[in-house]
Amino acid sequence: MSVNQDYEQAIREAEPVIVADDADAPLPTPRLGADSLVWKFYGDSRGILGFQRLAGTENCIEQLGQAVLDHSVIFDDFLGRAKRTGPPVMKTVYSTEPQKWGRTVRDFHRDIKGTISDGSRYHALNPELFYWAHATFVDQVLFITDTFIRRLSYAEKVQIFEESKVWYELYGVSSRSQPQTYEEFLAYWDDMLDRFIPHKTVVYATGYIRKGLPGPKKIPAPVWKVISAPLNGFIRTVVVGTLPQQMRDVCGLEWNTKREKRFQRFAATMRALNPVFNRLPLKWLYVPWAYEAWREIGVDPRGLHNRPAA
């Protein structure tokens, strides 16, 4: 099956397609390591700037938005959900047992199933659905690095995509819908953006952008309005700036040429400061799971892969 061929039919099969794990045979041994661009850039602390792009693009596809609504506590514990789901994916990349953690992530989703608005079924381990969730992480590495860290060359983008195939293999879910080349991935990404809908999950999750950050109960509303003004301005320029236009549209997020110019200035400043960031202590530059991985192998990544793209 080609990337987009019969997508609607395939995703509505709503059947998990798992790569068999033979208990008597060793798991396959693909692994990303210090020589990979994914290791270098995925765990960079600047990735926090893309948190809304990552979570939002994933849940703009109806089946995944509905899965979160049906099976998660997003409406009661949004930050808690993020803390529970983020580390296992990080450990799939950075731990010494990547297959174990990849299978753990997969097995979280074995019972995630239900129906969407037209009555058709979904299953989180349907390959078309599971690969889309993975693709949002691949996009995060590509977009955040190229936007806020340093420009990537075309060859580096290709390398990251090729490494993402190894990453996906660790989950043990069929790769039948995985694009085979970087160019196919770009076409796949554009096609998926055109499938975005304003699902309740993602509209709720972006409410803080439209309404402003909710204030702590102990701070009077007039005081919070003053304090939060620059924070809300940052969110509505930088956070919304990271989002594809299709997501802004379905979430009702305002955007214009003036904000685009501000966003591009901020991004350019961040890239210009990359040499400064790379002088920070490693523990500040990377999230904990990535930092521990670099420390354990005794490699300082700050000097790796830092030449500007040709």
Side-chain angles (χ1 to χ4, degrees):
M1 183 181 297
S2 62
V3 175
N4 295 317
Q5 180 183 1
D6 300 326
Y7 170 87
E8 293 294 340
Q9 177 182 345
I11 204 168
R12 281 172 168 74
E13 289 176 4
E15 294 293 338
V17 184
I18 294 172
V19 176
D21 294 335
D22 187 344
D24 298 323
L27 289 171
T29 56
R31 188 187 176 191
L32 298 169
D35 59 340
S36 72
L37 291 175
V38 168
W39 252 56
K40 167 63 182 173
F41 293 120
Y42 174 46
D44 191 293
S45 296
R46 285 165 283 186
I48 190 64
L49 292 170
F51 79 95
Q52 188 64 81
R53 180 182 177 97
L54 174 65
T57 52
E58 181 175 331
N59 293 320
C60 280
I61 296 299
E62 184 175 8
Q63 287 86 349
L64 277 172
Q66 191 62 39
V68 171
L69 182 61
D70 290 344
H71 298 275
S72 178
V73 291
I74 184 173
F75 292 98
D76 300 316
D77 188 16
F78 180 78
L79 292 177
R81 177 180 182 270
K83 291 178 180 178
R84 286 187 293 273
T85 57
V89 177
M90 278 281 177
K91 290 177 182 179
T92 300
V93 172
Y94 288 108
S95 80
T96 57
E97 299 179 292
Q99 292 93 353
K100 169 191 169 183
W101 283 104
R103 268 51 174 187
T104 298
V105 172
R106 177 196 67 190
D107 292 344
F108 283 163
H109 297 84
R110 283 186 180 268
D111 297 321
I112 305 300
K113 56 187 176 180
T115 58
I116 59 173
S117 59
D118 65 3
S120 63
R121 297 180 301 122
Y122 70 82
H123 195 296
L125 294 183
N126 171 274
E128 284 64 40
L129 205 54
F130 198 80
Y131 182 77
W132 168 246
H134 174 66
T136 62
F137 284 88
V138 180
D139 167 76
Q140 183 192 36
V141 178
L142 290 163
F143 179 84
I144 293 301
T145 304
D146 194 61
T147 304
F148 296 123
I149 300 178
R150 69 161 176 79
R151 292 301 193 191
L152 293 168
S153 68
Y154 176 79
E156 288 172 324
K157 293 176 182 178
V158 171
Q159 181 180 336
I160 289 171
F161 170 72
E162 291 297 326
E163 291 169 0
S164 79
K165 293 180 183 179
V166 176
W167 187 359
Y168 186 73
E169 186 177 347
L170 296 168
Y171 294 119
V173 177
S174 168
S175 61
R176 72 184 185 191
S177 66
Q178 178 175 248
Q180 293 306 299
T181 68
Y182 175 62
E183 293 299 332
E184 286 184 3
F185 179 80
L186 294 179
Y188 164 82
W189 184 261
D190 287 343
D191 178 78
M192 294 300 288
L193 294 182
D194 289 338
R195 298 175 187 274
F196 281 10
I197 68 161
H199 192 275
K200 180 180 179 180
T201 295
V202 75
V203 172
Y204 167 81
T206 54
Y208 74 98
I209 300 175
R210 292 183 299 276
K211 301 174 185 178
L213 289 169
K217 293 180 180 179
K218 294 182 179 180
I219 299 180
V223 175
W224 178 248
K225 184 176 181 180
V226 174
I227 294 174
S228 64
L231 296 174
N232 287 322
F234 179 86
I235 288 168
R236 289 166 181 161
T237 298
V238 175
V239 174
V240 177
T242 67
L243 307 180
Q245 187 59 46
Q246 291 90 335
M247 182 177 166
R248 296 178 195 137
D249 291 342
V250 301
C251 294
L253 301 175
E254 182 182 348
W255 196 246
N256 53 43
T257 302
K258 186 176 181 179
R259 288 187 177 180
E260 176 66 25
K261 289 180 178 178
R262 288 176 178 171
F263 173 75
Q264 292 301 334
R265 285 197 297 269
F266 175 82
T269 300
M270 289 291 292
R271 294 194 300 271
L273 289 173
N274 188 44
V276 177
F277 281 106
N278 276 286
R279 293 189 180 95
L280 293 174
L282 201 61
K283 196 169 186 177
W284 296 0
L285 187 59
Y286 283 92
V287 298
W289 308 277
Y291 164 71
E292 289 298 331
W294 288 112
R295 190 179 62 83
E296 287 176 8
I297 64 172
V299 173
D300 186 338
R302 288 171 292 189
L304 299 177
H305 313 301
N306 275 319
R307 293 186 303 274

